[in-house]
Amino acid sequence: MAGALTAGASAAPAAPAAPDTPTSPAAGAEEVVNGDFENGSTAPWWWTENNPASVVDGRLCADVPAGTANPWDAIIGQNDLPVAPGETYALTYTASATVPVTITTNVQQATDPYTQYFTSADQLTAEPKAFTQTFTAKADDDAAQLAFQIGGSDEAYTFCVDDISLTSGAETPPYDPDTGSPVRVNQVGYLPAGPKTGVFVTDADDPAAWSLKNAAGAEVASGTTTPRGVDASSGQKVQSFDFSGVTAPGDGYTVTIGDQTSEPFSIGAGVYSELRKDALQYFYVERSGTPIRGDLVGDAWARPAGHLNVAPNRGDNGVSCVATAPCSYTLNAAGGWYDAGDQGKYVVNGGIAASQLLSSFERTLTAPGASKGALGDGKLRVPERGNGVPDILDEARWELAFLLSMQVPKGQKLAGMAHHKLHDAQWTALPTQPTDDDQPRELHPPSTAATLNLAAAAAQGARLFRGYDRAFSDKLLTAARTAYAAAVAHPAVYAPATDSVGGGAYNDDNVTDEFYWAAAELYITTGTSTYRDAVLRSPLWGKGADIFPQGGFSWGSTAALGALDLATVPNGLTARQRAEVRGEVTAAADGYAADAAKAAYGMPYAPEGGHWVWGSNSQVLNNAVVLATAADLTGAAKYRNAVLGAVDYVLGENPMNQSYVTGFGERSTQNEHNRIYAHQLDSDLAHPIAGSMAGGPDSSLEDPKAEQKLAGCVGAMCYIDDIESYSTNEMAINWNAPLAWVASYVDDLGMR
Ligand code: 9MR
Ligand code: 9MR
């Protein structure tokens, strides 16, 4: 995909001309002083010491040294630019670089924490290029800074800039993403005996004729669409079509309506086999503290071990506590998975992700029709393949071992609790390879939420590893019991929302759900009455609507994980108690299935207030996990069909016509927010490996790129496949885990 230039950028003629004038009729006064360098003066522009600048041929030019680490290690800037909240600005400039580089252009706070009002990754070459950008400021700042961050290049180069202008009164261009064909399908494919639906975006009121063609172009089925009115998730006017009657396996099917044709798709019992494998394989590539082997995953994704204290790296094998909450010990917390596009490691998120992998496996022990073989040993490309242990358990173990390493040692204050997280002192730039990360790694204070996450995941691991590695199983169970007891002793130690420098906060000040989940897992594993009583006395016992929120369970709302296991894994609850939990699962599934039936796009997700959250794709899939569990419990087709609706949605039958899983489908995500596989910013680097899922639409526009590019978007349209949009386009372990769970379920369905 071409993609790296921001949509507002345009190529310029070779000779630097006057800047494109902002299109707004109400364009305000010029804020930039001396943006054209006409009188030869550089004032009031400033620069960092390492890149002295001067006016050359009417442009401001600077010699940028080789080998700085971050974009902000070399800057040219101007201060004292006022920005007002809600005001829309036009920013224009013309820039060049004697070697191809990507610079970062920011309008931001001039002092720490340098909050960005606008940011753009601009690809420069020797040919001067004119950029025209618009953004709406959120903050009130009477002295903002325009900064061209020009560091981070391996090679030295000369940067030149000219015709710089910032004016208020601009108009936000209407949000008009390229969504390709209006005929929307699951771009991977459908199961032969499963439901098959698609969506047609059209202003027409009347039904239209659809035609399904095979790869040879021959019509194999036809019918008429059903008008569905305005789709609430997107504001699009839509119709739907149903070709469930077509069951012949094949690749290269398309649906045509009038002169519009869908992306191609397959029909086959094995359409989700690769998805199951790749969604799980993703975790190996996220491993920290070990080399990622090219012979296993391909050389493009191979890399040396990171965070092992090999200079310039600080390492996770002897981490001490943050200065604000010191401890007298260090922990060896090497290993585990990187969380997401950042290289932090967070116990709450690690716990839920590891647990959902364990659950994917545990389902094969309890669900009728689940295949043990497909998740057995030798199915993934991990170093442990062939060791007699199912690879999915080997992968989960990699994280479980990390979780245990985050526990406060015996004899210390808060012994048995888990440190909330471990990450860099400061946010690093994109791209940053783990081996190049020179930031100090720090343990953040223990929290009750992290402690209970560890307890739950370790208790579940203990029962699943019992038959494979008794010693590891015992170790997990001891850690789980110790953690649970520590949480009971310290039930309200919360990670604050403000602790979000250098890593995410994962703040949570309601741990009722974590208590329920941990007690449930410990009870299932041990049968001990203390844990049973903790489940039965939980304020959540009997409160299905709270256990299964409408918008889906998540890292911050984990009770569902406990309830799903109480409902499916053999345990000592009475028949009546068990029926109660199962009833909660099916009642929740009824709600999600009803949401799916209402939605033209068929996804079981109707967030309250139409507010699509950060990581919405994982919410869609977590609802699918509940639906699939209900299907396993009851055999009811409506639950299974709603799961398939979720899969269709994630794989392209959606308002963006976007497959959110890299490498799957014709229009799949490519530029997820990630520091390692940052191809969009450096073409020498790989794109993310196939099988990683983007967070997906987030209607709150929670990063500068989303604010700039998605203003005015509705719900499921609030997404952009841009590496800078971390609130819509990051990847994360807790998002791929339900993808793997659901892919595994639908692959098991087969439905020949
Ligand atoms: O890259 C970070 C991403 O992994 C997080 O999800 C996100 C929110 O915590 O923050 C990203 O980091 C940005 C930071 O919050 C603000 N400065 C720019 C950082 C890099 O994009
Ligand atoms: O998934 C998290 C989401 O629910 C929060 O709203 C968001 C902001 O706090 O953070 C998300 O988690 C990010 C974490 O903070 C840092 N690593 C990347 C995670 C995914 O974006």
Side-chain angles (χ1 to χ4, degrees), residues 520-616:
E521 298 302 342
L522 275 158
Y523 177 54
I524 295 169
T525 302
T526 65
T528 308
S529 59
T530 330
Y531 301 126
R532 182 196 59 210
D533 295 347
V535 172
L536 298 179
R537 286 183 198 140
S538 162
L540 287 171
W541 176 255
K543 296 279 176 350
D546 296 328
I547 294 172
F548 296 102
Q550 180 178 346
F553 70 88
S554 65
W555 63 264
S557 173
T558 56
L561 295 162
L564 292 170
D565 286 351
L566 286 172
T568 54
V569 181
N571 64 71
L573 288 184
T574 64
R576 203 169 141 186
Q577 290 163 340
R578 187 166 252 244
E580 161 99 32
V581 182
R582 289 187 169 173
E584 289 170 355
V585 173
T586 51
D590 285 335
Y592 301 140
D595 290 340
K598 252 181 264 158
Y601 282 104
M603 66 288 184
Y605 180 63
E608 272 174 61
H611 173 193
W612 288 59
V613 300
W614 190 317
S616 64

Side-chain angles (χ1 to χ4, degrees), residues 116 341-342 427-428 430 504 614 673 675 726 730:
Q116 296 168 357
D342 62 327
W427 285 110
T428 56
L430 272 73
W614 190 317
H673 181 80
R675 285 163 170 73
Y726 48 82
E730 194 157 357

Side-chain angles (χ1 to χ4, degrees), residues 374-587:
L375 292 177
D377 187 24
K379 295 295 176 185
L380 295 178
R381 302 191 62 82
V382 293
E384 301 82 5
R385 69 204 310 251
N387 66 355
V389 179
D391 292 337
I392 187 170
L393 292 186
D394 289 324
E395 194 56 69
R397 181 179 184 152
W398 187 260
E399 184 69 4
L400 288 169
F402 160 73
L403 297 178
L404 298 195
S405 74
M406 292 289 277
Q407 218 164 2
V408 177
K410 248 195 206 129
Q412 302 290 345
K413 197 174 154 235
L414 302 180
M417 291 192 77
H419 284 272
H420 195 64
K421 54 179 188 166
L422 178 184
H423 58 68
D424 293 322
Q426 298 292 329
W427 285 110
T428 56
L430 272 73
T432 294
Q433 299 305 311
T435 37
D436 296 337
D437 175 7
D438 62 0
Q439 283 292 313
R441 305 280 281 179
E442 297 173 336
L443 286 172
H444 290 248
S447 70
T448 308
T451 303
L452 289 166
N453 255 267
L454 184 156
Q460 186 182 11
R463 64 178 180 262
L464 293 172
F465 276 98
R466 194 110 191 115
Y468 295 106
D469 184 338
R470 184 68 185 257
F472 184 56
S473 164
D474 288 345
K475 196 173 164 191
L476 287 168
L477 190 54
T478 303
R481 287 179 186 276
T482 309
Y484 189 84
V488 169
H490 308 283
V493 181
Y494 302 134
T498 45
D499 190 6
S500 60
V501 175
Y506 284 117
N507 52 299
D508 188 356
D509 58 8
N510 179 347
V511 294
T512 312
D513 53 313
E514 281 85 1
F515 267 113
Y516 176 98
W517 176 32
E521 298 302 342
L522 275 158
Y523 177 54
I524 295 169
T525 302
T526 65
T528 308
S529 59
T530 330
Y531 301 126
R532 182 196 59 210
D533 295 347
V535 172
L536 298 179
R537 286 183 198 140
S538 162
L540 287 171
W541 176 255
K543 296 279 176 350
D546 296 328
I547 294 172
F548 296 102
Q550 180 178 346
F553 70 88
S554 65
W555 63 264
S557 173
T558 56
L561 295 162
L564 292 170
D565 286 351
L566 286 172
T568 54
V569 181
N571 64 71
L573 288 184
T574 64
R576 203 169 141 186
Q577 290 163 340
R578 187 166 252 244
E580 161 99 32
V581 182
R582 289 187 169 173
E584 289 170 355
V585 173
T586 51

